[in-house]
Amino acid sequence: MHAPPKGLVYAIYYTALAVFAIPVNLVAIVILSRGRCGLSRCITRYLLSMAVTDLLVIITAVLLNRIPAIYFPGSFLSITPVCSLSIMIIYASRDSSVWLTVTFTFDRFVAICCQKLKAKYCNEKMASVVIGMVCVLSCLINIPWYFIHEPMYIIDNVPWYCRKKDIRYTSLVWTAFDWTDRILTPSLPFFLILLLNALTVRHILAANRARRRLRVCSNGENQSDPEMESRRKSITLLFAISGSFISLWTTYVLQFFFERFIKDYEIKGFSDPKYIFLESANMLQLLSCCTNTFIYAVTQRKFRGEISNMVQYPLKLIRNLCKQ
């Protein structure tokens, strides 16, 4: 997290994002936890974990970082140790969210393309183990973020705000850590998601052609195939989640490489184009934490039905109370 943004646009955006994204992710968590969306328990575990980590990103990065910095500068959250801890948690929850997207993509790749491995890997127990490992590793590899910051001011022996130490730009160790961080999140996930999706598509197209030929030969006509329809729905959900992730994180990746190749780290104010580019990348990256629920609603009929039931339940309760 860099310096807090100042301006009406940022204030409106982050407030709207918090007001919108927190309820949206809570709705997704409630619906998925009930297990009535017609999805396997394995898929449900991944989608539920992604919703939880997305919610944590919004709470830590927006509700406890950007909004207080905009509306309540100088609050308790601005004390350097608290600020450093907050930044570390933000990166940990962000990495968990990104890599859970990768593990979900890999799970669908195995389920569709690797039938011999499917029974051993694509199950609820393995999903729980993978999710736990991703979250633990994300926390461990982001511990250095706590130590990379120093106070901007010291007032009455109290350190305030966080700024990155100059050693970050001169030390080979910190430079390596910085590059590793951006490679692990999100450059490597970009590559893995694109690769896995490409392999999955190739397998599905080949399998569908073979299955269609067999059905035509056996039935004498091209009839509807429930198996192919199920695959189509599964791949639509997978590609929608992957496509949303890639499109909203692209600016973040470009910003990092742009900054490192021009080697100009100085920002001269909130109107500096480099700062606007940096904050725009941050805004889009955070926006990705509230898009999955809409993807579920668009691609999953039963998920839409559960949302409808949630909306209708309080109305029915009020109607019954009025009748009584």
Side-chain angles (χ1 to χ4, degrees):
M1 294 294 105
H2 46 276
K6 301 293 183 182
L8 182 62
V9 173
Y10 299 125
I12 294 175
Y13 178 84
Y14 284 114
T15 302
L17 185 61
V19 170
F20 192 68
I22 292 176
V24 162
N25 281 298
L26 286 174
V27 167
I29 291 170
V30 171
I31 292 176
L32 291 170
S33 62
R34 297 175 69 183
R36 299 178 182 177
C37 297
L39 301 170
S40 69
R41 291 185 177 182
C42 178
I43 295 177
T44 301
R45 279 294 175 93
Y46 281 112
L47 298 184
L48 182 59
S49 65
M50 289 161 62
V52 171
T53 52
D54 284 346
L55 178 62
L56 288 176
V57 173
I58 295 297
I59 291 174
T60 55
V62 180
L63 195 62
L64 298 179
N65 184 279
R66 312 312 274 173
I67 289 179
I70 294 172
Y71 292 103
F72 312 106
S75 66
F76 169 76
L77 295 171
S78 298
I79 297 176
T80 303
V82 178
C83 175
S84 298
L85 180 62
S86 173
I87 292 172
M88 185 190 75
I89 295 174
I90 290 169
Y91 279 105
S93 56
R94 178 208 65 175
D95 286 5
S96 297
S97 176
V98 170
W99 279 98
L100 285 173
T101 304
V102 177
T103 55
F104 169 70
T105 306
F106 181 73
D107 177 86
R108 292 300 85 203
F109 166 76
V110 172
I112 295 172
C113 305
C114 308
Q115 294 300 313
K116 293 183 179 180
L117 187 60
K118 178 180 178 180
K120 295 182 179 180
Y121 185 82
C122 301
N123 56 70
E124 189 177 10
K125 182 179 179 180
M126 182 59 71
S128 299
V129 171
V130 171
I131 291 167
M133 290 178 59
V134 167
C135 293
V136 170
L137 289 175
S138 296
C139 293
L140 292 177
I141 63 177
N142 283 291
I143 290 177
W145 283 110
Y146 181 83
F147 302 98
I148 204 172
H149 294 91
E150 62 182 4
M152 295 179 65
Y153 312 103
I154 298 179
I155 303 174
D156 296 330
N157 293 323
V158 178
W160 289 93
Y161 299 104
C162 290
R163 70 178 178 187
K164 293 171 183 175
K165 297 177 181 177
D166 293 337
I167 195 175
R168 181 201 176 193
Y169 305 105
T170 58
S171 169
L172 291 177
V173 174
W174 284 114
T175 301
F177 170 75
D178 204 26
W179 276 94
T180 302
D181 173 70
R182 295 302 176 98
I183 290 173
L184 289 177
T185 307
S187 301
L188 183 58
F190 261 55
F191 171 76
L192 291 176
I193 288 173
L194 290 173
L195 175 63
L196 292 171
N197 283 346
L199 294 174
T200 302
V201 168
R202 187 181 69 173
H203 178 87
I204 288 177
L205 292 177
N208 285 353
R209 285 194 296 266
R211 190 175 180 87
R212 191 177 295 112
R213 285 196 299 267
L214 288 174
R215 288 181 65 85
V216 170
C217 293
S218 61
N219 299 327
E221 57 182 353
N222 192 3
Q223 299 177 348
S224 62
D225 187 347
E227 177 66 21
M228 292 176 63
E229 182 66 18
S230 176
R231 287 182 181 180
R232 186 189 65 79
K233 291 181 179 179
S234 178
I235 206 67
T236 299
L237 175 63
L238 172 63
F239 283 0
I241 293 175
S242 302
S244 172
F245 168 80
I246 291 174
S247 60
L248 292 174
W249 276 83
T250 298
T251 307
Y252 187 84
V253 176
L254 293 176
Q255 184 276 327
F256 170 76
F257 286 109
F258 173 77
E259 184 182 70
R260 292 307 178 276
F261 283 124
I262 66 171
K263 295 182 179 181
D264 182 7
Y265 306 110
E266 183 181 0
I267 294 178
K268 300 178 181 179
F270 298 114
S271 59
D272 190 325
K274 291 195 295 294
Y275 183 87
I276 295 173
F277 188 22
L278 176 62
E279 189 61 29
S280 298
N282 193 54
M283 292 163 71
L284 289 173
Q285 174 242 311
L286 291 172
L287 180 62
S288 68
C289 293
C290 66
T291 57
N292 284 350
T293 302
F294 293 98
I295 292 172
Y296 307 152
V298 171
T299 61
Q300 302 296 312
R301 179 179 57 80
K302 291 185 177 181
F303 189 90
R304 293 195 299 273
E306 288 295 311
I307 293 178
S308 177
N309 292 336
M310 289 184 66
V311 173
Q312 293 178 15
Y313 178 77
L315 299 177
K316 291 180 180 179
L317 185 62
I318 294 172
R319 190 182 305 116
N320 293 334
L321 290 174
C322 291
K323 289 180 179 179
Q324 293 177 0

